[in-house]
Amino acid sequence: MMKAAFSLLMLLVALSSAFGKFVPKSGKRIPQTLSRGWGDQLIWAQTYEEALFWSRSKNRPLIVIFHLEDCPHSKALKKVFSEDDAILKKLDEEFVVLNLMYETTDKHLSPDGQYVPRIIFVDPSMTVRADIVGRYSNRLYAYEPSDIKLLLDNMKKALKLLKSEL
Amino acid sequence: MMKAAFSLLMLLVALSSAFGKFVPKSGKRIPQTLSRGWGDQLIWAQTYEEALFWSRSKNRPLIVIFHLEDCPHSKALKKVFSEDDAILKKLDEEFVVLNLMYETTDKHLSPDGQYVPRIIFVDPSMTVRADIVGRYSNRLYAYEPSDIKLLLDNMKKALKLLKSEL
């Protein structure tokens, strides 16, 4: 019995050393996630092209979050966002989600400039919903952590617009 | 002592239920990684725009891997690729890496069509290296698991071309 257990242990050691041996010079890294901390349980699109494809084929509005990992405003919003069950549940069940740290070549995604954090809604017909805005007149698509309720309202607006157009 | 341990346990339970409470109806998911299994220890670009930016700013060639998660040829190549230390080390130290499951809008990334698995090299001047090919005349940028040595040679070619042009 002990011998069998020892053999199994040795097998596991052998397996673990046979796979994924490569370790960078700077030390082992934590694998990057597609969520980047904006909600590990959501299914994130990787690119804008992929997100548009999903949006169209599932007939769901798309939410695009532009952010930067070392921007304090992005981080503060991300914390509130990723802990808000109502937001996460609605996104998971009725939206296509994409978070980006680099701008795309599509100018429609920056109606009033390229800044972070910035949240843009796109409907399944691939039209950017420039009318769904936050509360800041100088940066229409910016949200502060205290605007999370407004963000949820805007998500509902994106869904409502969608339904009324069907 | 026991009481303190119990309090700590309760605190941990409270904390764990306060954060990340959202669980999808279909059950808890494993967070998606950017590597998608092609090498968790590499630092992957998320989008082509991001990859081009890194390639230019670091003066490193870019390797773009097109694949699909349910394609057996992609999976077979991924297994060999992600276990090849020589490949991973060179990519980590001298390349910018990107893996995509959806095509971009850039036609230069599909010189002879859109198929998977397909590996395209791009140099920091943003020129697609259409001359760096595999061994199949009908699908120039396809690689089989047995072509992993050729892939490594092609990586060296991408680096050499880069140097000879400086």
Side-chain angles (χ1 to χ4, degrees):
Chain A
M1 180 64 194
M2 277 295 283
K3 204 175 159 190
F6 184 72
S7 302
L8 182 65
L9 182 70
M10 283 296 98
L11 180 68
L12 288 174
V13 169
L15 279 176
S16 67
S17 66
F19 299 116
K21 266 189 302 185
F22 171 71
V23 175
K25 272 184 191 165
S26 52
K28 200 153 181 160
R29 302 183 187 124
I30 297 166
Q32 301 154 276
T33 59
L34 260 181
S35 77
R36 296 197 191 262
W38 289 85
D40 269 354
Q41 290 296 305
L42 301 183
I43 296 171
W44 294 89
Q46 181 181 353
T47 63
Y48 189 45
E49 289 87 353
E50 180 176 349
L52 287 176
F53 173 81
W54 284 4
S55 172
R56 211 163 31 174
S57 58
K58 295 181 175 184
N59 196 37
R60 288 179 175 203
L62 160 65
I63 185 171
V64 188
I65 303 166
F66 289 92
H67 66 107
L68 284 172
E69 286 193 322
D70 53 1
C71 154
H73 299 282
S74 298
K75 272 158 99 170
L77 182 64
K78 176 160 68 174
K79 184 167 168 23
V80 171
F81 181 101
S82 64
E83 290 171 6
D84 190 308
D85 277 12
I87 296 256
L88 297 179
K89 186 174 191 301
K90 199 164 262 308
L91 288 178
D92 188 49
E93 294 173 2
E94 301 182 75
F95 283 81
V96 170
V97 294
L98 173 68
N99 76 80
L100 291 174
M101 302 200 303
Y102 283 76
E103 297 292 335
T104 69
T105 50
D106 191 333
K107 297 278 171 285
H108 296 105
L109 288 175
S110 47
D112 65 344
Q114 300 181 341
Y115 51 86
V116 292
R118 180 169 103 246
I119 298 183
I120 308 276
F121 291 92
V122 184
D123 78 15
S125 67
M126 295 172 66
T127 309
V128 169
R129 286 291 182 183
D131 58 313
I132 303 183
V133 298
R135 63 172 93 254
Y136 310 100
S137 57
N138 57 336
R139 293 188 161 191
L140 290 175
Y141 308 96
Y143 294 81
E144 296 268 356
S146 56
D147 302 329
I148 200 81
K149 176 71 179 64
L150 172 62
L151 180 61
L152 185 60
D153 289 344
N154 280 346
M155 285 165 51
K156 288 174 186 165
K157 206 166 156 185
L159 290 167
K160 208 176 158 189
L161 287 169
L162 181 68
K163 273 183 202 134
S164 65
E165 280 163 11
L166 288 179
Chain B
M1 183 60 196
M2 276 296 282
K3 205 175 158 190
F6 184 71
S7 302
L8 182 66
L9 182 70
M10 283 295 100
L11 180 69
L12 288 174
V13 168
L15 280 175
S16 67
S17 66
F19 299 116
K21 267 189 302 185
F22 172 70
V23 175
K25 273 183 192 167
S26 52
K28 200 152 182 163
R29 302 184 186 123
I30 297 165
Q32 301 154 275
T33 59
L34 260 180
S35 78
R36 297 195 189 264
W38 289 85
D40 269 354
Q41 289 297 305
L42 301 183
I43 296 171
W44 295 88
Q46 181 182 354
T47 63
Y48 189 44
E49 290 87 353
E50 181 176 347
L52 288 176
F53 173 81
W54 284 3
S55 171
R56 210 164 30 176
S57 58
K58 295 181 174 184
N59 196 37
R60 288 180 173 201
L62 161 64
I63 184 171
V64 188
I65 304 166
F66 289 92
H67 66 107
L68 284 173
E69 288 193 320
D70 53 2
C71 154
H73 299 281
S74 298
K75 273 157 97 169
L77 182 64
K78 175 159 70 175
K79 185 167 167 27
V80 172
F81 181 102
S82 63
E83 289 170 8
D84 190 306
D85 277 13
I87 296 257
L88 296 179
K89 188 173 189 300
K90 198 163 263 309
L91 287 178
D92 188 49
E93 293 173 3
E94 301 182 74
F95 282 82
V96 170
V97 293
L98 174 67
N99 75 81
L100 291 174
M101 301 199 304
Y102 283 76
E103 296 292 336
T104 69
T105 51
D106 192 333
K107 297 279 170 284
H108 296 104
L109 288 175
S110 47
D112 65 346
Q114 300 180 341
Y115 51 86
V116 293
R118 181 171 104 244
I119 298 183
I120 309 277
F121 291 92
V122 184
D123 78 15
S125 67
M126 295 171 67
T127 308
V128 169
R129 286 291 181 182
D131 58 314
I132 303 182
V133 299
R135 65 172 92 251
Y136 309 100
S137 56
N138 56 335
R139 295 189 161 190
L140 291 174
Y141 308 96
Y143 294 81
E144 295 268 355
S146 56
D147 302 329
I148 201 79
K149 177 72 179 61
L150 172 61
L151 180 62
L152 185 60
D153 288 344
N154 280 347
M155 286 165 49
K156 288 175 186 164
K157 205 168 158 186
L159 290 167
K160 206 176 161 191
L161 285 169
L162 182 67
K163 274 183 202 131
S164 65
E165 280 164 11
L166 288 179

